[in-house]
Amino acid sequence: MGILEKISEIEKEIARTQKNKATEYHLGLLKAKLAKYRSQLLEPSKKGGDKGEGFDVLKSGDARVALIGFPSVGKSTLLSTLTHTHSEAASYEFTTLTCIPGVIEYRGANIQLLDLPGIIEGAAQGKGRGRQVIAVARTADLVLMMLDATKPYVHRQLLERELESVGIRLNKAKPNIYFKVKKGGGLSFNSTCQLTKVDEKLVQMILHEYKIFNAEVLFREDCSADDLIDVILANRVYLPCIYVYNKIDQISIQEVDRIAREPHSVVVSCNMKLNLDYLLEILWEYLSLIRVYTKKPGQPPDFDEGLILRKGVSIEHVCHSIHRSLAAQLKYALVWGTSTKYSPQRVGVAHVVNDEDVVQLIKK
């Protein structure tokens, strides 16, 4: 029996098992087996075959965004509208067959946008070019999921399921579980809160499925068996995701209002260029980008060439982004902006900068 058959057998078994207290151990074990087979399926096969073209796109710019969706939802139109790249767009499905990169220039940042071929159901099992599409999506900083506002909600669920099955978790935080494999001593199990979804026996059974008999496990929050499996496999990617509903010019205003109020959702019309400026604002916010301007002594700040960094960075990161030897030579920095109590404030390397701060670095 091949891996795909084993996966489908386990999925059927999970579907027909009733969820209650008596079956939770059985379900936990099935989920552990399923995750194990799926991770085997995603590992590249040893046989050398033709690699296919246009998929390994070099990472460039300040951030990378993967554009994912079913065929014919308007991904190529969005790429052509937001960037200066032409991606073939037509009214038939599978117009795009390889990965097409474009660059969004916004607030001085270069954001790389990848137009990936349409995902079909069963992509995680390698149907269409699903596996390559999903491999590229794992390297992104953010997922833009393009959806057709005229189509049913089930499309979004199918896409989420495909990404979920290959270890891409959308808009989720990493489970707060400490896990360490030991040389001996059996299982050491602890929790800092009340656990309602798992207990020590279930944790032990899941670990035994992965042939782990000596380990330290500490639950810092009430996590499920799925969360524990994610922590054991340690190959999950946690990405922010924006759901972009296209073709809003073809549905009623009440429906547009309902969709727009859903969490992480933005409504647009690529053909009529509606709401694209708001999409860029949300994109900037979800990527957690900030601009920091530099200033030479006795001169006005350089507002044309800002440094594009991530939220929460310190003066040390600012130094590294200019030159890696600069942090060691820094005496102090003068900062103007919202991160200081008064301007200019004299700060050290640990000071955290905010968006649009002006920094002057003074060397020893």
Side-chain angles (χ1 to χ4, degrees):
M1 196 191 270
I3 290 182
L4 282 175
E5 286 84 20
K6 285 178 182 171
I7 286 175
S8 88
E9 280 297 310
I10 293 172
E11 280 174 343
K12 283 176 193 162
E13 175 75 16
I14 289 174
R16 65 171 173 256
T17 305
Q18 281 187 328
K19 289 176 179 64
N20 56 41
K21 203 82 184 138
T23 59
E24 62 179 18
Y25 297 126
H26 179 57
L27 279 171
L29 213 54
L30 287 175
K31 283 174 181 172
K33 278 183 180 163
L34 186 62
K36 191 165 76 173
Y37 287 137
R38 276 183 176 157
S39 58
Q40 281 174 18
L41 190 67
L42 286 175
E43 284 163 14
S45 56
K46 303 288 184 284
K47 296 171 195 161
D50 56 327
K51 275 188 171 174
E53 33 139 6
F55 261 92
D56 288 332
V57 178
L58 195 68
K59 201 165 184 175
S60 70
D62 302 297
R64 184 179 224 184
V65 176
L67 198 50
I68 285 181
F70 280 120
S72 230
V73 290
K75 298 190 299 297
S76 301
T77 316
L78 184 75
L79 181 88
S80 306
T81 313
L82 293 182
T83 70
H84 303 303
T85 311
H86 175 68
S87 181
E88 189 66 39
S91 56
Y92 54 86
E93 297 194 340
F94 298 106
T95 323
T96 306
L97 294 171
T98 75
C99 175
I100 297 169
V103 175
I104 302 171
E105 290 167 3
Y106 184 67
R107 295 191 190 176
N110 291 331
I111 300 166
Q112 187 182 38
L113 184 65
L114 300 179
D115 178 16
L116 299 171
I119 285 187
I120 57 173
E121 208 180 332
Q125 277 78 45
K127 283 188 192 168
R129 299 194 72 174
R131 222 176 288 181
Q132 290 118 307
V133 172
I134 286 163
V136 173
R138 285 175 73 95
T139 65
D141 300 305
L142 174 111
V143 172
L144 264 193
M145 192 182 284
M146 277 294 271
L147 298 156
D148 192 329
T150 61
K151 297 270 171 69
Y153 182 75
V154 70
H155 282 219
R156 170 171 156 177
Q157 291 172 319
L158 285 170
L159 277 174
E160 283 174 340
R161 204 176 306 144
E162 288 298 329
L163 295 176
E164 188 95 358
S165 66
V166 293
I168 296 175
R169 304 283 179 261
L170 302 177
N171 296 326
K172 275 186 188 170
K174 241 179 179 168
N176 198 351
I177 301 173
Y178 172 77
F179 171 72
K180 188 183 178 188
V181 179
K182 298 188 294 186
K183 291 265 184 353
L187 173 67
S188 157
F189 176 81
N190 266 314
S191 65
T192 58
C193 59
Q194 177 135 19
L195 300 181
T196 58
K197 298 165 190 168
V198 294
D199 58 17
E200 190 169 352
K201 186 183 169 188
L202 180 57
V203 170
Q204 201 164 11
M205 286 167 76
I206 290 171
L207 288 172
H208 285 187
E209 181 57 42
Y210 290 98
K211 303 207 168 27
I212 299 169
F213 302 100
N214 304 298
E216 209 174 316
V217 181
L218 170 65
F219 278 72
R220 294 196 181 101
E221 60 184 13
D222 188 13
C223 295
S224 64
D226 294 317
D227 294 330
L228 176 65
I229 292 165
D230 285 354
V231 171
I232 295 167
L233 287 171
N235 61 355
R236 304 307 195 212
V237 185
Y238 297 84
L239 295 177
C241 172
I242 302 172
Y243 302 101
V244 182
Y245 288 87
N246 188 20
K247 306 183 187 177
I248 55 164
D249 48 311
Q250 298 175 22
I251 58 172
S252 68
I253 193 75
Q254 289 84 0
E255 188 65 8
V256 171
D257 184 57
R258 185 189 67 77
I259 294 171
R261 288 176 191 278
E262 285 185 9
H264 315 296
S265 300
V266 177
V267 289
V268 298
S269 169
C270 294
N271 280 341
M272 297 178 77
K273 296 186 170 53
L274 295 175
N275 213 26
L276 294 178
D277 48 349
Y278 177 67
L279 173 61
L280 288 174
E281 267 180 52
I282 293 289
L283 197 66
W284 178 271
E285 197 181 302
Y286 271 63
L287 285 168
S288 303
L289 296 175
I290 59 167
R291 288 154 301 172
V292 174
Y293 301 108
T294 52
K295 178 185 177 316
K296 289 180 181 170
Q299 289 183 13
D302 180 8
F303 288 121
D304 299 326
E305 290 290 317
L307 300 170
I308 305 293
L309 301 159
R310 294 291 162 109
K311 258 183 202 154
V313 297
S314 62
I315 291 291
E316 191 175 2
H317 293 96
V318 175
C319 294
H320 286 317
S321 64
I322 298 168
H323 195 277
R324 62 174 176 267
S325 67
L326 194 54
Q329 302 168 3
L330 188 76
K331 190 176 179 187
Y332 62 89
L334 291 173
V335 180
W336 291 256
T338 55
S339 68
T340 57
K341 290 179 181 141
Y342 46 86
S343 295
Q345 186 175 332
R346 185 171 160 167
V347 297
V349 286
H351 177 78
V352 175
V353 290
N354 284 355
D355 190 22
E356 297 196 329
D357 275 4
V358 174
V359 175
Q360 182 179 321
L361 303 172
I362 312 293
K363 286 182 12 181
K364 285 172 186 166

